[in-house]
Amino acid sequence: MSPVLDLVVMLTAYLLVMGYLAIGLRALLRDPGGGPRRRSDRRGWAELLRQVALTAIGGHALLLVVVAAYYVAVAHHDREFVLGALTGTASLTGVALPVLLALTWLTHHRG
């Protein structure tokens, strides 16, 4: 692959990530309280687990796209290396998910 195409792939990934962050910032700025908006009045462990799971799945999906795009399009690694990178990110999510759950629980019970 040519260096120009490598640059285009990396720039596209960068713009996608920055666009995602801009959308999140806009959503926060629309809320005058600055906090997350509730879609419903559901509370309890089921709602907490749902929120944490959706956050983890969305973050993991974004990480998978960035890792796969870089290793396949730019670094030109073989499938086994990419598969190792993808399973590594799944392991990272599995380790980080309990921490995210605990911090979310603390945030909800403090505020």
Side-chain angles (χ1 to χ4, degrees), residues 21-46:
L21 292 174
I23 290 169
L25 182 60
R26 270 190 161 169
L28 280 176
L29 292 177
R30 280 190 211 147
D31 186 11
R37 284 181 260 159
R38 288 196 166 284
R39 285 190 269 174
S40 68
D41 291 330
R42 295 183 289 176
R43 294 189 182 258
W45 280 102

Side-chain angles (χ1 to χ4, degrees), residues 7-106:
L7 181 63
V8 168
V9 169
M10 293 305 297
L11 183 60
T12 302
Y14 175 78
L15 291 175
L16 286 173
V17 170
M18 290 298 116
Y20 180 73
L21 292 174
I23 290 169
L25 182 60
R26 270 190 161 169
L28 280 176
L29 292 177
R30 280 190 211 147
D31 186 11
R37 284 181 260 159
R38 288 196 166 284
R39 285 190 269 174
S40 68
D41 291 330
R42 295 183 289 176
R43 294 189 182 258
W45 280 102
E47 178 66 13
L48 176 62
L49 290 174
R50 186 188 71 79
Q51 287 179 356
V52 171
L54 288 175
T55 301
I57 290 168
H60 186 253
L62 181 63
L63 183 59
L64 287 178
V65 168
V66 171
V67 166
Y70 176 78
Y71 283 128
V72 171
V74 177
H76 307 292
H77 286 287
D78 59 359
R79 287 183 178 175
E80 289 180 22
F81 185 84
V82 174
L83 182 60
L86 297 180
T87 56
T89 59
S91 300
L92 176 64
T93 301
V95 169
L97 191 58
V99 174
L100 180 61
L101 179 61
L103 289 174
T104 305
W105 182 80
L106 283 172

